[in-house]
Amino acid sequence: MVFLTQKASMWIELSPDLENIDFAADNDALAALENILSSVFRGEHVLVGNRKTLESFQKAALSGHSKAVLRSVINRLPELLSLSELQVFKVTLRAELDITQQPEKNHWHVPLRHFSNVALVPASVLCENLRDASALLGCATHFHIEFNPRGLRISLTEDGGGGAEIAPTLEKKMRDARQFVMALTDTDRSHPDAAACLPTQKCEAIADKGSWVAAHVPLPCREIENILPINLLSDSTQASDARFATSDQLQYLQKNVFENSTIHLWADLKLGTKLSLCCESNVDQTERDFWRKASERIPHPFKAGKDCAIGKCPKIQGQKDCECLLAPGLGEKMLERFLEHTQTISMHKQVERIRTSSNSELWFELGKKVANWGIALEKLRA
């Protein structure tokens, strides 16, 4: 895997029609260009365009910082243009446009003058809560360190949508049209063929409207806890105050779940996976069939009564009342413990532990999407 050659990066391009603007007579266009170049100067975005367009801007009455950005981009132009065609997430700034349009998925056309009185700020990662956002920003940083792109950095802000309120929050950010926003959501699916939860469905529909630069990425698993790098997750559990209370659970998961992605991605790693999912009391046949097949890969359930062990859960309400577990959970604070642990070791040490995790590829793949949404040129010096 090579950074930025995997077709997944935010990229701001200049349309050639910008050359037709008379910046001496168009104050709105001049203010917009100044705002955009100032953002690039601060190391918040990547900006590219053809040489003729960039050189035409040098005649405008821009600040010294903005002119420094133009010189820097022109000097790196062959390198940047060689990457441009590989990008999936892309914003094109245009002169002859009144409203933002999305001509194709992950590509937006935005009027240059939109930024005449709106500062271009770092892109946003929007999650259901700030803990998820912090974990995903860490994920992006892990990817960035592992693949070491020269002269590029990550520039992102973290936002929490308040759980189920993430969809209205995304919608408001799109109406405000001030910040490029990527929403990432848990799917809450208990198996790969299950329908995603309502907030995930709503975020997908909202982002698809294309009225502003917004994307939605559903996590490729049940919850963010299911994709945390196994070695770092184990380290964080063993280093926490909960290490004694969760010792048996962790050992069971390490032996029977973590090395089996079929189970690992869809198990309830916080509260435990109910054995009744495999029983006849589970009226969802697709879910029941999935977990029955998955259970065949586990030598024995973590906790099972005699009837549940043979698929005959006696509880009337089945999944709600049965306390038997196919696999245990590590508690609702497992992500909190994970984040606390990562604060105690360097990012490079974290990456070393991630490399040897069996699910490192999934973590880096997710990190690539998040990192590339907030990709930026390095800050320039005044």
Side-chain angles (χ1 to χ4, degrees):
M1 192 187 306
V2 180
F3 188 84
L4 288 176
T5 62
Q6 300 300 306
K7 300 191 175 183
S9 175
M10 174 59 71
W11 209 253
I12 301 178
E13 293 194 344
L14 302 169
S15 171
D17 71 354
L18 298 174
E19 297 170 26
N20 300 324
I21 297 175
D22 181 357
F23 288 102
D26 193 331
N27 290 332
D28 284 346
L30 181 63
L33 182 59
E34 182 71 44
N35 277 337
I36 291 162
L37 292 173
S38 294
S39 177
V40 177
F41 182 87
R42 295 190 298 268
E44 295 171 352
H45 293 283
V46 172
L47 184 72
V48 295
N50 66 50
R51 184 176 294 273
K52 183 180 177 184
T53 303
L54 289 163
E55 289 178 344
S56 72
F57 292 167
Q58 293 181 314
K59 303 172 186 176
L62 295 166
S63 68
H65 288 175
S66 293
K67 288 185 176 180
V69 170
L70 291 173
R71 289 194 297 271
S72 177
V73 172
I74 290 171
N75 288 339
R76 294 186 63 182
L77 201 54
E79 170 199 354
L80 295 175
L81 289 178
S82 70
L83 301 172
S84 183
E85 292 184 0
L86 299 172
Q87 309 319 309
V88 167
F89 299 125
K90 186 181 292 187
V91 170
T92 300
L93 298 176
R94 294 183 56 187
E96 300 169 2
L97 198 65
D98 295 322
I99 61 172
T100 296
Q101 299 176 354
Q102 188 177 15
E104 56 185 309
K105 189 172 179 62
N106 297 331
H107 186 187
W108 298 265
H109 288 180
V110 179
L112 172 73
R113 294 176 183 83
H114 175 84
F115 296 103
S116 61
N117 57 6
V118 174
L120 182 58
V121 297
S124 166
V125 169
L126 174 65
C127 297
E128 294 172 50
N129 56 67
L130 287 174
R131 281 193 300 274
D132 287 8
S134 180
L136 288 167
L137 184 56
C139 181
T141 305
H142 294 149
F143 173 83
H144 193 74
I145 290 172
E146 178 68 358
F147 298 99
N148 191 28
R150 291 180 299 175
L152 297 172
R153 66 192 296 266
I154 298 170
S155 178
L156 289 167
T157 62
E158 305 168 26
D159 288 303
E165 293 302 305
I166 187 171
T169 302
L170 174 61
E171 196 161 34
K172 183 178 185 304
K173 281 183 172 289
M174 290 182 67
R175 286 198 306 269
D176 292 344
R178 291 179 174 272
Q179 192 175 31
F180 305 153
V181 55
M182 171 182 277
L184 297 103
T185 55
D186 295 334
T187 65
D188 293 341
R189 294 187 294 171
S190 63
H191 61 92
D193 295 322
C197 61
L198 193 57
T200 290
Q201 294 180 38
K202 287 182 177 179
C203 284
E204 187 72 16
I206 291 167
D208 280 347
K209 292 178 181 178
S211 58
W212 180 241
V213 184
H216 171 243
V217 176
L219 297 183
C221 53
R222 183 184 186 121
E223 299 172 290
I224 190 171
E225 286 81 0
N226 296 76
I227 203 173
L228 296 176
I230 291 169
N231 287 348
L232 270 184
L233 175 60
S234 298
D235 293 347
S236 68
T237 304
Q238 292 168 337
S240 74
D241 293 338
R243 61 186 179 278
F244 298 115
T246 59
S247 176
D248 291 344
Q249 289 90 330
L250 178 60
Q251 288 181 26
Y252 185 93
L253 292 170
Q254 288 172 328
K255 184 177 181 180
N256 299 296
V257 174
F258 287 163
E259 302 304 319
N260 187 328
S261 62
T262 302
I263 302 173
H264 183 195
L265 291 177
W266 311 109
D268 187 340
L269 293 183
K270 290 190 291 188
L271 300 180
T273 304
K274 295 286 189 180
L275 184 56
S276 55
L277 291 173
C278 309
C279 294
E280 293 177 1
S281 57
N282 183 2
V283 296
D284 184 334
Q285 183 177 345
T286 304
E287 181 181 58
R288 184 174 70 241
D289 290 346
F290 172 83
W291 282 108
R292 278 186 172 177
K293 186 174 181 179
S295 68
E296 294 173 359
R297 302 189 180 190
I298 295 180
H300 58 85
F302 179 73
K303 176 183 177 183
K306 179 181 177 181
D307 292 316
C308 282
I310 60 172
K312 302 286 185 181
C313 179
K315 302 288 187 179
I316 296 175
Q317 296 299 320
Q319 300 170 59
K320 292 183 179 179
D321 293 342
C322 183
E323 296 182 357
C324 297
L325 295 175
L326 175 63
L330 293 173
E332 294 192 88
K333 292 189 175 182
M334 60 182 293
L335 179 58
E336 185 177 328
R337 294 195 296 266
F338 177 88
L339 293 173
E340 288 175 354
H341 177 66
T342 58
Q343 293 298 312
T344 68
I345 58 176
S346 71
M347 274 290 177
H348 285 85
K349 180 64 176 178
Q350 293 173 42
V351 171
E352 287 178 12
R353 294 295 287 145
I354 292 167
R355 287 189 194 121
T356 55
S357 296
S358 60
N359 64 340
S360 62
E361 186 174 344
L362 276 174
W363 186 249
F364 284 135
E365 183 67 23
L366 179 60
K368 177 179 67 178
K369 294 176 182 178
V370 182
N372 291 336
W373 184 258
I375 199 67
L377 296 174
E378 290 284 3
K379 296 179 182 179
L380 295 182
R381 295 184 179 182

